[in-house]
């Protein structure tokens, strides 16, 4: 087991793009080697060691590598981008694009996450013990397939456009979602335990379950006869969005 | 005075009939010369294939491509051809690069240069939007540029043809080229752009355009006559009616036949038909869709008045962009894709739709085969220009990959092995064993372009020509392209050297220098009295219909980088 502890030398205003900070790049490396990995700082590159204190315990393969960010990294973007295995723990708030395109492994965030959490992720798991901002599990701008696999659990609330263009995987939000969750999605499953506004517009495929209150249910959803029971809870069943000839399922109370 | 001596190059220059012979090339002040002094810088090109700089005669690299950029921002991070796509940070010599199908302007310049290309021709400039095209030209480094101006659905053009005023029509074409600083006449789905303004299309050469009482055939003939009257360096450049529709090969051949009677005013073709792959479909619907390439190739083999380019499909994501508005609407509806549509006021229409060519789709597989069938079934390579209609059939960064399809039957068989039986039944490619050699490839990527655009200083290595030269790290005779196609692809993906105007711009596949390229345009002379009469007509158009005034319409010289004006004398 290899544990890599990273903490900022001093709080940064200019964003750091730590897309190289993932277990795939850190596994089996010493503190010096990890410190030499280049990251983007503003419009230039610099070694990771210039910005972070790096501590390494043990050595291991990618699967057995854990990275721990201590303290607030709310101006560090793209942590865990494209990671395929291992674990990242962030004990503080994190900036945008955390877990972008990740394929495997696990990211645990003990704080809040900015927008684009788990954007286009294909596998693995993200657990957020705080609130998320916009576009959780969505696609990059222009992309027609957002999150494709894996699971995101948000133990707080999320803002608008949760799971936009999602086409696989699972998102669970324990709190409320903002406007237009599951917009334009084409597969996958979204469970919102709190409230949501105008859910699943332009949904082509997939399942959306909302346990809390639904505001402004779209008129382009057709209510099916009878009810559906999921894990002991009875829901009204809607299908749509008929505007796009969708076959998505929307279950609400 | 800068002098360079390229020693022991293995030269392939079809314009001079040189087929991979070892020789020296001398360069002085950006031109190829007979000899240089002893002070010349010596470049050792022993064992390396040396050709004139590549010339892409039909590419969408400035103008409409910008719509593609903002419709698909996700293209910025696509990196399907490492080294020639994706995001690349700026360096001391190069600016930041992004994209694959719709790269930023700088990336277009760098990547073409890396492939050994030095000249490009933007395939469609709407007169009204020409200023934008030139602004993008300005920011495409290294390459020499030119563009074709759209006339095929223009109100003034159709009125002059209807009213039988060929002299005024020629005067208008001359003015339009000047206004847009264009190089030639492009006709896209003649009449279709105007019909699209009414939600319609024209169905063939003899289907009248709504409200204008002219047919596509009359538009084609009228513009061809004007083109030859003005003695323009290029023939009309035609995107035929019915593009992308099963059964359209008949319209394509009909269009080609129509031009048999057109007499070219210069030593070149009287018709160039573009991206014929999209216009060589047989069958009556997508259900019984099959290749129409053998019929088209058969006709082309017996014709000597025309040239064409391929529009080869590359599997993967592409971005279609054309002035053919109705086609893009059909694409967007059929594929449930994003759709951009533009009305160019009195001039044309246009549309942009992203799509994905999959080898698993039998239609896409057959499309892929049709491009290659056309290239291989047409016997004379001088009639063929290699293109992917970038990025309609696929991005130009895939040219090296496509070259391997043309040069190796084994490579083709490898791709074909992934096709469904249904696809195989609809194509003739598996039965074709022709493999192009380096000489024929040079014809299709350089020499044909030089001839068809009447640009004797481009696409060849004659004394007096521009010193635009590509040197590839591969030696014909020592490498068998039919089996060692991986080596061919590697060599063409990053030139050992690319010279632009005698300057080394690429070395070992990396950018060395980024000089500014020239912009070519054609200024055709028209008698003053005819011009004045024509101006009165367009003044009325501007007053009544245009959203801009004539004074604000013309592209001024300040928008042109290193302009090269080509004068021609109209015959009236």
């Amino acid at each position: 087991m290899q544990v890599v502890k990273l903490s900022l030398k001093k709080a940064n205003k200019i964003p750091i793009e730590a897309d190289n900070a993932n277990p795939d790049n850190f596994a089996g490396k010493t503190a010096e080697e990890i410190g030499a990995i280049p990251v983007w700082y503003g419009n230039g590159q610099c070694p990771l060691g210039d910005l972070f204190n790096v501590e390494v315990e043990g050595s291991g393969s990618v699967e057995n590598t854990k990275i721990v960010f201590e303290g607030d990294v709310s101006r560090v973007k793209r942590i865990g981008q494209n990671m395929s295995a291992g674990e990242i723990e962030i004990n503080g708030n994190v900036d945008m694009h955390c877990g972008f395109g990740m394929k495997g492994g696990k990211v645990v965030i003990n704080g809040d996450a900015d927008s684009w959490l788990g954007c286009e992720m294909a596998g693995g798991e993200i657990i957020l013990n705080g609130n998320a901002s916009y576009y959780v599990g969505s696609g990059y701008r222009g992309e027609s397939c957002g999150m494709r696999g894996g699971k995101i659990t948000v133990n707080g609330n999320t803002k608008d456009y949760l799971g936009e263009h999602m086409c696989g995987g699972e998102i669970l939000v324990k709190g409320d979602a903002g406007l237009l969750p599951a917009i334009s999605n084409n597969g996958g499953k979204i469970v919102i335990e709190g409230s949501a506004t105008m859910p699943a517009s332009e949904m082509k495929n997939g399942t959306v379950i909302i346990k809390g209150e639904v505001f402004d249910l779209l008129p382009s959803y057709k209510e099916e006869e009878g009810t559906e029971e999921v894990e002991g809870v009875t829901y009204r069943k809607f299908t749509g969005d008929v505007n796009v000839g969708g076959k998505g399922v929307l279950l609400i109370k | 005075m800068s002098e360079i001596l390229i020693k022991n190059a293995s030269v392939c220059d079809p314009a001079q009939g040189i087929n991979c012979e070892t020789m020296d090339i001398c360069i002085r002040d950006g031109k190829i010369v007979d000899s240089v002094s002893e002070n010349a810088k010596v470049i050792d090109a022993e064992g390396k294939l040396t050709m004139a700089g590549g010339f892409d005669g039909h590419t969408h690299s400035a103008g409409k491509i910008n719509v593609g950029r903002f419709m698909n921002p996700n293209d910025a991070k696509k990196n399907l051809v490492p080294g020639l796509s994706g995001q690349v940070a700026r360096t001391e010599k190069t600016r930041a690069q992004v994209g694959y199908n719709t790269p930023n302007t700088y990336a277009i310049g760098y990547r073409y240069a890396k492939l050994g290309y030095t000249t490009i021709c933007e395939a469609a400039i709407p007169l009204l939007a020409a200023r934008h095209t030139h602004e993008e030209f300005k920011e495409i480094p290294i390459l020499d540029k030119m563009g074709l101006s759209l006339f095929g659905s223009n109100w003034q053009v159709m009125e002059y043809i209807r009213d039988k005023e060929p002299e005024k029509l020629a005067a208008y074409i001359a003015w339009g080229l000047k206004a847009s600083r264009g190089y030639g006449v492009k006709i896209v789905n003649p009449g279709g752009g105007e019909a699209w303004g009414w939600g319609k299309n024209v169905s063939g050469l003899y289907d009248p355009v709504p409200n204008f009482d002219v047919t596509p055939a009359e538009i084609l003939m009228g513009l061809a006559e004007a083109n030859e009257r003005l003695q323009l360096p290029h023939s009309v450049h035609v995107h035929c009616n019915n593009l992308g529709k099963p059964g359209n090969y008949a319209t394509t051949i009909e269009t080609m036949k129509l031009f048999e009677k057109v007499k070219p005013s210069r030593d070149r073709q009287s018709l160039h038909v573009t991206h014929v792959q999209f216009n060589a479909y047989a069958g009556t619907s997508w259900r019984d869709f099959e290749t129409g390439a053998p019929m088209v190739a058969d006709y082309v083999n017996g014709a000597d008045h025309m040239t064409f380019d391929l529009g080869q499909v590359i599997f993967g994501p592409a971005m279609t962009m054309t002035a053919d508005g109705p086609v893009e609407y059909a694409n967007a509806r059929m594929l449930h894709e994003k759709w951009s549509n533009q009305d160019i006021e009195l001039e044309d229409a246009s549309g942009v739709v992203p799509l994905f060519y999959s080898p698993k789709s039998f239609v896409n597989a057959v499309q892929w085969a049709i491009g290659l069938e056309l290239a291989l079934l047409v016997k004379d390579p001088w009639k063929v220009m290699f293109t992917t209609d970038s990025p309609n059939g696929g991005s130009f960064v895939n040219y090296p990959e496509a070259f391997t399809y043309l040069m190796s039957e084994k490579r083709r068989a490898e791709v074909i092995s992934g096709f469904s039986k249904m696809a195989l039944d609809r194509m003739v490619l598996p039965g074709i064993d022709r493999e192009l050699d380096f000489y024929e490839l040079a014809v299709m990527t350089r020499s044909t372009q030089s001839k068809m655009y009447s640009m004797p200083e481009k696409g060849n290595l004659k004394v007096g020509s521009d010193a635009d030269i590509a040197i590839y790290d591969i030696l014909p005779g020592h490498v068998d392209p039919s089996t060692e196609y991986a080596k061919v692809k590697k060599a063409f993906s990053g030139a050992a050297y690319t010279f632009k105007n005698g300057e080394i711009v690429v070395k070992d596949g990396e950018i060395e220098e980024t000089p500014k390229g020239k912009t070519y345009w054609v200024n055709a002379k028209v008698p003053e009295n005819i011009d004045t009469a024509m101006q009165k007509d367009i003044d009325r158009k501007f007053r009544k219909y245009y959203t801009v005034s004539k004074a604000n319409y013309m592209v001024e010289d300040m928008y042109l980088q290193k302009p090269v004006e080509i004068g021609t004398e109209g015959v009236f």
Side-chain angles (χ1 to χ4, degrees):
Chain A
M1 183 78 190
Q2 178 176 355
V3 180
V4 182
K5 281 190 183 162
L6 298 174
S7 59
L8 277 169
K9 287 185 170 166
K10 63 175 198 230
N12 59 317
K13 254 187 182 169
I14 295 169
I16 297 167
E17 301 225 355
D19 50 330
N20 286 336
N22 58 34
D24 302 68
N25 280 335
F26 285 6
K29 287 187 180 154
T30 64
E32 286 74 40
E33 285 167 336
I34 291 170
I37 290 175
V39 292
W40 282 94
Y41 180 49
N43 65 358
Q45 276 182 310
C46 71
L48 192 138
D50 285 6
L51 303 164
F52 289 92
N53 298 310
V54 184
E55 280 175 49
V56 179
E57 287 166 25
S59 179
S61 61
V62 180
E63 295 77 31
N64 291 320
T65 298
K66 181 176 177 179
I67 303 172
V68 182
F69 283 89
E70 290 296 354
D72 184 86
V73 281
S74 59
R75 291 298 277 158
V76 183
K77 300 173 199 278
R78 298 185 185 273
I79 292 173
Q81 176 161 320
N82 294 330
M83 68 187 272
S84 64
E87 191 179 341
I88 296 179
E89 184 183 313
I90 301 164
N91 294 315
N93 298 337
V94 66
D95 205 352
M96 296 196 287
H97 292 113
C98 182
F100 186 113
M102 69 185 273
K103 294 168 191 73
K106 189 174 170 187
V107 176
V108 180
I109 303 161
N110 297 314
D112 294 342
D114 208 329
S115 302
W116 310 101
L117 176 71
C119 177
E120 288 182 26
M121 87 187 252
E125 191 179 4
I126 296 177
I127 298 168
L128 173 64
N129 295 316
N131 298 320
S133 192
Y134 303 96
Y135 291 104
V136 173
S138 70
Y140 185 83
R141 287 273 186 247
E143 193 58 64
S144 54
C145 183
M147 180 171 172
R148 295 131 212 223
K151 185 173 180 182
I152 301 176
T153 305
V154 179
N155 286 319
N157 304 322
T158 74
K159 288 188 179 168
D160 311 342
Y161 310 115
L162 169 78
E164 178 236 29
H165 277 125
M166 176 177 181
C167 54
E170 192 180 343
I171 299 178
L172 169 63
V173 179
K174 296 270 176 74
D176 300 333
L179 282 171
L180 296 164
I183 182 170
S184 298
N185 64 350
N186 194 12
K189 183 181 174 189
I190 295 179
V191 180
I192 299 166
E193 298 197 342
S195 68
T197 308
M198 290 194 276
S201 64
E202 294 185 350
M203 169 159 72
K204 288 200 196 86
N205 226 325
T207 306
V208 177
I209 302 173
I210 299 166
K211 298 188 177 173
E213 202 170 349
V214 173
F215 302 106
D216 299 332
L217 177 66
L218 294 163
S220 52
Y221 270 84
K222 208 170 87 189
E223 181 156 14
E224 302 289 325
E225 287 192 18
T227 54
E228 186 145 324
E229 209 176 279
V230 180
E231 289 162 5
V233 186
T234 311
Y235 297 95
R236 291 159 71 195
K237 184 179 178 183
F238 292 81
T239 53
D241 183 329
V242 297
N243 280 339
V244 292
K247 295 179 185 66
V249 176
L250 174 61
L251 302 177
I252 59 181
K253 274 192 169 166
Chain B
M1 194 168 73
S2 73
E3 290 186 325
I4 296 175
L5 173 63
I6 302 172
K7 273 190 92 88
N8 301 321
S10 179
V11 173
C12 203
D13 187 25
Q16 302 182 82
I18 299 171
N19 188 359
C20 304
E21 293 168 27
T22 304
M23 53 194 282
D24 299 344
I25 297 172
C26 305
I27 302 171
R28 185 184 307 122
D29 294 336
K31 295 274 179 196
I32 296 173
V33 292
D34 263 330
S35 61
V36 283
S37 68
E38 284 173 4
N39 302 327
K41 179 178 172 180
V42 177
I43 305 269
D44 182 21
E46 193 174 348
K48 294 190 171 78
L49 172 65
T50 303
M51 298 178 177
F55 186 155
D56 195 347
H58 186 107
T59 169
H60 298 264
S61 292
K64 257 197 305 281
I65 190 171
N66 213 35
V67 178
R69 291 189 186 114
F70 63 69
M71 272 176 86
N72 256 18
N74 54 328
D75 185 72
K77 64 190 177 82
K78 287 205 174 101
N79 190 9
L80 284 89
V81 184
L84 292 166
S85 65
Q87 294 169 316
V88 184
R90 71 170 175 181
T91 66
E92 271 174 26
K93 285 174 180 157
T94 56
R95 300 177 71 149
Q97 302 170 57
V98 295
Y100 169 64
N101 280 311
T102 53
N104 59 335
T105 55
Y106 307 107
I108 289 174
Y110 304 148
R111 290 169 185 174
Y112 263 117
K114 284 184 181 182
L115 300 181
Y117 275 68
T118 49
T119 309
I120 57 168
C121 180
E122 161 61 35
I125 306 183
L127 305 183
L128 186 62
R131 189 174 280 116
H132 175 92
T133 305
H134 286 286
E135 285 182 312
E136 284 201 41
F137 274 175
K138 252 180 146 172
E139 302 301 324
I140 297 176
I142 303 172
L143 308 176
D144 285 344
K145 286 138 291 205
M146 54 205 240
L148 304 173
S149 305
L150 289 160
F151 288 101
S153 285
N154 186 302
W155 289 14
Q156 197 63 65
V157 167
M158 290 189 289
E159 282 180 14
Y160 282 152
I161 290 169
R162 179 193 63 200
D163 301 341
K164 308 221 164 16
E165 300 201 75
E167 295 191 334
K168 277 185 174 175
L169 174 62
Y172 178 71
I173 300 303
W175 177 82
L177 288 176
K178 194 173 181 183
S180 59
R181 295 293 195 264
Y183 191 86
V185 176
K186 173 83 183 289
I187 308 171
V188 173
N189 185 11
E194 173 55 25
W196 181 233
W198 303 92
K200 298 188 179 105
N201 196 357
V202 287
S203 62
L205 282 172
Y206 302 101
D207 185 12
V209 182
N211 304 322
F212 281 91
D213 199 27
V214 291
T215 62
E218 287 167 337
I219 296 174
L220 287 165
M221 285 299 98
L223 285 170
E225 205 260 39
N227 194 87
E228 302 313 325
R229 183 187 284 272
L230 294 170
Q231 307 206 48
L232 299 183
H234 185 41
S235 69
V236 290
H237 193 107
V238 178
H239 156 140
C240 292
N241 298 108
N242 289 331
L243 178 134
K245 287 189 196 138
N248 62 11
Y249 82 91
T251 310
T252 308
I253 294 174
E254 225 179 333
T255 307
M256 293 169 173
K257 278 189 178 153
L258 205 57
F259 279 77
E260 284 172 4
K261 57 177 186 261
V262 176
K263 199 177 158 299
S265 58
R266 302 171 73 131
D267 179 24
R268 55 152 168 77
Q269 76 289 356
S270 63
L271 168 70
H272 178 82
V273 189
T274 191
H275 42 67
V276 174
Q277 177 273 125
F278 293 109
N279 285 80
Y281 300 162
T284 56
S285 73
W286 292 115
R287 240 172 258 249
D288 62 358
F289 166 75
E290 60 179 350
T291 174
M295 288 78 95
V296 174
D298 208 37
Y299 174 79
V300 174
N301 278 329
D304 59 2
H305 66 290
M306 56 159 294
T307 54
F308 74 98
D309 65 87
L310 302 181
Q312 175 61 35
V313 156
I314 303 292
F315 290 123
M319 189 61 127
T320 63
M321 49 189 68
T322 168
D324 199 337
V327 159
E328 290 296 34
Y329 175 74
N331 274 344
R333 280 290 167 273
M334 185 167 69
L335 305 165
H336 304 286
E337 258 301 354
K338 290 184 256 196
W339 173 49
S340 152
N341 179 55
Q342 259 177 311
D343 173 36
I344 319 288
E345 305 197 0
L346 285 62
E347 297 172 5
D348 223 310
S350 84
V352 180
V353 172
L355 53 74
F356 192 93
Y357 295 110
S358 164
K360 294 200 179 85
S361 147
F362 103 85
V363 171
N364 294 160
V366 175
Q367 285 179 309
W368 178 87
I370 290 173
L372 299 173
E373 288 167 5
L374 286 165
L376 298 167
L377 288 174
V378 170
K379 295 190 184 94
D380 180 3
W382 287 86
K383 290 175 184 169
V384 188
M385 178 164 91
F386 173 81
T387 65
T388 62
D389 190 14
S390 175
N392 281 285
S395 173
F396 66 87
V397 298
N398 294 290
Y399 283 3
E401 167 78 10
F403 295 161
T404 66
Y405 303 152
L406 293 169
M407 299 181 89
S408 165
E409 193 197 357
K410 196 172 156 212
R411 175 76 185 112
R412 293 198 292 271
E414 230 175 62
V415 179
I416 289 171
S417 67
F419 293 167
S420 64
K421 178 160 185 316
M422 186 168 169
L424 293 174
D425 289 345
R426 310 295 178 86
M427 60 177 74
V428 299
L429 188 65
I432 301 175
D433 59 4
R434 183 175 168 200
E435 293 177 334
L436 298 190
D437 59 19
F438 289 103
Y439 186 83
E440 288 169 310
L441 190 72
V443 174
M444 289 188 189
T445 52
R446 278 103 172 137
S447 319
T448 302
Q449 285 81 338
S450 166
K451 180 94 193 298
M452 64 180 257
Y453 283 108
S454 307
M455 292 190 109
E457 73 280 25
K458 297 283 175 205
N460 65 68
L461 299 171
K462 289 180 190 164
V463 168
S465 292
D466 287 351
D468 298 348
I469 302 166
I471 302 178
Y472 300 106
D473 196 2
I474 192 164
L475 184 60
H478 285 71
V479 170
D480 179 10
S482 68
T483 52
E484 297 171 279
Y485 43 79
K487 285 186 184 166
V488 172
K489 183 177 173 182
K490 184 164 177 281
F492 281 113
S493 296
Y497 288 96
T498 305
F499 290 84
K500 179 74 192 52
N501 269 63
E503 195 175 353
I504 297 173
V505 290
V506 173
K507 194 180 170 197
D508 300 327
E510 295 300 328
I511 299 291
E512 280 289 302
E513 290 295 334
T514 58
K516 294 182 161 94
K518 291 177 275 206
T519 306
Y520 290 83
W521 69 282
V522 172
N523 193 358
K525 250 204 197 129
V526 173
E528 212 180 306
N529 60 329
I530 298 172
D531 185 60
T532 313
M534 180 275 297
Q535 294 287 349
K536 273 190 190 142
D537 295 335
I538 55 173
D539 281 342
R540 202 172 308 126
K541 288 278 179 309
F542 276 99
R543 264 201 317 276
K544 274 185 90 170
Y545 303 111
Y546 269 111
T547 55
V548 294
S549 71
K550 197 163 101 183
N552 293 331
Y553 185 85
M554 310 286 286
V555 175
E556 300 93 339
D557 271 331
M558 62 173 288
Y559 284 91
L560 270 70
Q561 200 171 55
K562 294 198 186 171
V564 180
E565 181 182 325
I566 306 215
T568 72
E569 201 73 47
V571 180
F572 287 85

